Amino acid sequence: MIPFKPNCYPDESPASFLIRISFEIGHDNVLDMVRAHGNIYQHKNLSVTLSIPIRYRNLMRSLGIDHDSPKVIVENPGHGFQYRFFDGIKINCSYLRGDLEAFCPECLRAQTYWKRRWSLRLYTICEKHGCKLIDQCQKCALPLTMKRRCIYECAKCDFDLRKSKSTHPNQKTQQRARH
């Protein structure tokens, strides 16, 4: 059971929510916090739990969070299926990124949490800021994953992802045209 009632953003991903709580409580990583809840011992088990609504609800209840937790990003219909459900819409698995694998640096600077829609490969540009979503650390080039201590730090070099530079789709084209 966590010692406080966490703030949940309406469009936040479940992994973002859990990692923020874990960091605020002082755990080294999210697995330390959830290890005793729901037999979750590795990130793969956590990813599966976050995609099966009943397991997800049970995990949240065991943490003392019965209400105000983020919606499941994708619902997994079972083993071997090539599709998932995102907000009730059937989508091919190839349209999914792993959770916490891409972000808008401007959104992350404004509000330190990961948005659900960033888990879809269809989103490559932030609709609010018009910049490209970033999928790796700009300091060490490590691809982003859920395996990190803090929502806004690189797992390898601890680079603060909020300091990432924004690039806009036509920025490179404009720079080449000037030279």
Side-chain angles (χ1 to χ4, degrees):
M1 189 99 87
I2 58 173
F4 63 92
K5 183 174 175 17
N7 176 32
C8 173
Y9 298 98
D11 59 343
E12 184 171 19
S13 81
S16 170
F17 182 68
L18 289 172
I19 290 174
R20 282 191 315 106
I21 293 168
S22 168
F23 181 72
E24 288 175 29
I25 295 173
H27 288 284
D28 285 336
N29 62 59
V30 69
L31 290 179
D32 284 350
M33 182 179 77
V34 299
R35 194 161 272 134
H37 308 279
N39 296 322
I40 297 170
Y41 297 100
Q42 54 184 315
H43 282 91
K44 183 178 179 184
N45 293 5
L46 182 58
S47 295
V48 169
T49 298
L50 296 180
S51 70
I52 300 174
I54 188 118
R55 285 190 189 176
Y56 176 64
R57 280 191 303 275
N58 288 340
L59 171 63
M60 291 301 176
R61 268 191 226 113
S62 72
L63 293 170
I65 306 167
D66 286 339
H67 306 290
D68 298 330
S69 61
K71 290 190 328 187
V72 171
I73 288 184
V74 292
E75 290 185 39
N76 185 343
H79 217 49
F81 287 89
Q82 295 299 311
Y83 64 89
R84 300 289 185 266
F85 290 97
F86 183 90
D87 288 344
I89 299 169
K90 186 177 176 178
I91 62 170
N92 189 297
C93 290
S94 65
Y95 295 153
L96 295 170
R97 290 185 181 100
D99 198 2
L100 308 184
E101 291 185 7
F103 70 99
C104 166
E106 294 181 37
C107 287
L108 194 62
R109 274 191 288 280
Q111 293 181 305
T112 307
Y113 73 93
W114 234 255
K115 296 184 180 195
R116 297 173 75 253
R117 68 174 92 50
W118 295 341
S119 296
L120 291 173
R121 290 184 193 282
L122 303 170
Y123 284 96
T124 58
I125 307 288
C126 175
E127 69 243 7
K128 182 175 182 181
H129 299 105
C131 58
K132 292 181 181 180
L133 296 187
I134 296 172
D135 62 359
Q136 64 183 26
C137 174
Q138 288 187 342
K139 184 175 180 185
C140 72
L142 180 76
L144 300 175
T145 68
M146 204 167 79
K147 299 177 183 178
R148 56 184 184 264
R149 176 178 104 75
C150 177
I151 200 74
Y152 53 83
E153 289 179 356
C154 173
K156 181 179 179 183
C157 69
D158 294 332
F159 175 70
D160 187 333
L161 299 171
R162 297 172 297 184
K163 294 179 181 177
S164 298
K165 290 183 174 66
S166 303
T167 57
H168 291 77
N170 56 3
Q171 220 170 17
K172 288 184 181 177
T173 309
Q174 289 174 351
Q175 287 173 351
R176 275 189 240 136
R178 285 187 216 147
H179 296 292

